[in-house]
Amino acid sequence: MSILHTVNTSPFQTLALQQCLSLLNEVDTLLLIEDAVIASQAKHSFVLELTKLSEQGRLKVLSSDLSARGIENTIGDKCSYNDFVTLVTEHKSQMAW
């Protein structure tokens, strides 16, 4: 069963990203939203794990949140709100962190 995990806090603020990554399985997808989009371009201790997810096409980054913060992602695929809705329908469940 695939799960869409959404993280909304910066890896520099909370342990949400770390905890999420520890529970992801091989069919889950991670979507970074709100302040969590910072993880798609910043240097932090989870960059290797996120890079691996990105290479597998399982890391998504909400493009409007990137724009709102004036940053560009270096890993992960940008997605729109329409893409977000599609991701929700493609997964059996969703878990917000």
Side-chain angles (χ1 to χ4, degrees):
M1 177 169 98
S2 64
I3 299 173
L4 175 62
H5 295 264
T6 57
V7 176
N8 70 348
T9 55
S10 164
F12 304 109
Q13 293 175 314
T14 70
L15 297 176
L17 181 60
Q18 177 184 359
Q19 293 168 342
C20 174
L21 289 170
S22 72
L23 294 177
L24 279 176
N25 69 34
E26 65 279 349
V27 295
D28 292 347
T29 300
L30 172 57
L31 173 62
L32 302 175
I33 61 174
E34 300 174 16
D35 286 342
V37 300
I38 293 167
S40 70
Q41 62 94 44
K43 299 292 184 205
H44 50 79
S45 57
F46 310 111
V47 85
L48 292 177
E49 291 173 83
L50 292 180
T51 300
K52 182 179 174 183
L53 283 175
S54 181
E55 291 168 352
Q56 297 169 352
R58 299 189 303 127
L59 177 63
K60 311 297 181 188
V61 186
L62 198 59
S63 57
S64 61
D65 288 333
L66 286 167
S67 297
R69 285 151 184 82
I71 59 174
E72 286 291 324
N73 60 315
T74 56
I75 55 174
D77 300 320
K78 287 184 185 177
C79 74
S80 67
Y81 281 110
N82 288 338
D83 297 329
F84 188 171
V85 172
T86 300
L87 286 170
V88 170
T89 62
E90 291 175 344
H91 292 78
K92 295 286 184 189
S93 62
Q94 189 220 353
M95 183 164 200
W97 295 86

